[in-house]
Amino acid sequence: MENIQVREARHNDVSLWDDYIANHQEGLAYHFFAWKHAIEKSYRFECPYFLAQREGRTCGVLPTVHVHLPFTGGSLVSLPYCDVGGILADSLEIAETLFSHACRYALDHNIRRMEIRYPFHKLSPNFNKPDAAIDIPAPSGSQNPDSGKVRMMLELPGSSEALMASFKSKLRSQVNKAARDGLTSKLGGVEFLEDFYTIFAENMHDLGSPVHSRSWVRNVLTHYGPKAKCGMIFMPDNRPAAAGIILCHQNVVSIPWASSLRRFNRYNPNMLLYWSFLEFAADNGYRFFDFGRSTIGEGTYKFKAQWGAIPRPLHWEQWKIDAKRVRPASSGPISHSPGRSRMVAEQIIRKIPLPPATFFGSRLRKYISL
């Protein structure tokens, strides 16, 4: 690990950081510095982003966020509010140096838990060494790291015409029906914030989930700039029916949020929304479209699979940190499946009128790292 220097990235390191992400084959839009800016502006959490350099050249990064309730230690998460984050590095040696540095940061700030969400299954020579000492940690050493979820990925052809031709006739018909019925799609940015948020808040209420704050959505769109697109689907009378946001890396387009209003379901606005994003991605030279997290066999999984998306296991690691050891936080697979308390909470949220549910939910949402 000689000659590797790790430090916290500063705001004047944006170009260094983002250039490394853009050119790394495993980089994603969530890794960009804009995610840090949006969290700091909206939710006021500390975001230590660790930058590794060798002889003045960037050779690795580890973005983290300290997610915590007031007066609690909380967790260091890479990354919250999305499916993926984790270490990007030129070698295992650099990755382990970054991990070690993050562990020391956690100890110094009385943080006793860390979660790293890799977009794929990673192994290292230190795998299955849960008692690795803090000065020689293994960034992929948890024994049962599977998240229980998959990431749905579609490889894109060179054009939207080729993509549409690859779909089954039923899928093409559903997309075309929305257009025949007079629905229209538009791609833009922060100018669609209010329409997007109206749909987003109502959909989260219907699902029984607390909604992100309007400030969060605004800051994501603002700080990502042209790397973010807000898509809107309008009914023939210009009523908003569906909305989503995509974030773009040089190779991969990711969709963190998409919502549609149930009262318009028979017009297939959600199908037209996803097609507008796929059309944009295919025609602008992106290699992959990341549909995001799903559970195999559930409704969202089937929806994404019909477009041709392939499941890839998500690899999430949780660690306990103390002065002597870094060890896996649990002995079983990581699971974020809803328990009884979560289901009760969802029922309560659905019963609360939309305005107070949005008001209180948007103030609680930042403490939920998923």
Side-chain angles (χ1 to χ4, degrees), residues 36 171 198 225 255 267 286 301 326 344 351:
K36 171 183 171 74
L171 181 61
T198 297
I255 179 165
Y267 297 101
Y286 294 98
Y301 173 87
V326 178
V344 170
K351 291 179 180 178

Side-chain angles (χ1 to χ4, degrees), residues 39-272:
I39 291 173
E40 289 174 336
K41 290 282 188 179
S42 304
Y43 291 154
R44 309 297 180 186
F45 287 140
E46 294 290 328
C47 301
Y49 272 35
F50 302 109
L51 180 71
Q53 293 181 305
R54 175 182 276 160
E55 297 179 353
R57 185 183 64 84
T58 302
C59 56
V61 298
L62 171 54
T64 68
V65 177
H66 183 198
V67 179
H68 63 101
L69 288 163
F71 311 111
T72 66
S75 298
L76 207 58
V77 184
S78 182
L79 280 164
Y81 319 131
C82 61
D83 306 327
V84 295
I87 301 167
L88 299 180
D90 292 354
S91 69
L92 176 62
E93 175 190 35
I94 297 166
E96 292 185 341
T97 304
L98 282 160
F99 185 83
S100 179
H101 199 91
C103 291
R104 291 193 180 93
Y105 176 95
L107 277 176
D108 291 344
H109 291 80
N110 199 33
I111 304 168
R112 294 293 179 258
R113 296 182 71 89
M114 183 157 60
E115 180 171 334
I116 299 181
R117 300 171 183 172
Y118 291 107
F120 48 82
H121 189 67
K122 293 174 73 76
L123 297 178
S124 83
N126 290 324
F127 187 71
N128 281 336
K129 288 187 180 179
D131 293 326
I134 194 165
D135 59 337
I136 48 167
S140 297
S142 54
Q143 290 178 308
N144 293 282
D146 291 339
S147 66
K149 304 287 185 177
V150 293
R151 177 176 170 232
M152 300 295 287
M153 298 289 293
L154 174 64
E155 187 169 1
L156 299 169
S159 69
S160 59
E161 289 83 1
L163 182 60
M164 178 65 83
S166 71
F167 296 152
K168 294 181 179 179
S169 59
K170 180 180 178 181
L171 181 61
R172 293 198 301 270
S173 176
Q174 289 176 312
V175 173
N176 292 330
K177 179 182 183 301
R180 287 197 306 270
D181 289 343
L183 277 69
T184 56
S185 64
K186 293 183 180 180
L187 286 181
V190 74
E191 70 272 17
F192 288 140
L193 172 64
E194 294 305 318
D195 284 337
F196 170 87
Y197 197 76
T198 297
I199 294 173
F200 188 42
E202 182 174 330
N203 186 56
M204 291 298 102
H205 180 257
D206 289 344
L207 294 172
S209 297
V211 66
H212 272 293
S213 70
R214 183 182 277 101
S215 171
W216 163 251
V217 179
R218 180 188 298 110
N219 279 308
V220 167
L221 291 172
T222 299
H223 288 289
Y224 273 88
K227 293 186 179 74
K229 301 291 181 185
C230 184
M232 296 294 308
I233 303 299
F234 295 95
M235 296 297 293
D237 59 2
N238 288 324
R239 285 179 297 169
I245 290 175
I246 54 173
L247 302 176
C248 304
H249 179 270
Q250 269 73 344
N251 295 316
V252 184
V253 173
S254 301
I255 179 165
W257 308 291
S259 299
S260 60
L261 299 179
R262 293 183 179 184
R263 56 185 171 275
F264 298 126
N265 277 357
R266 66 190 180 96
Y267 297 101
N268 292 333
N270 208 37
M271 302 299 293
L272 186 58

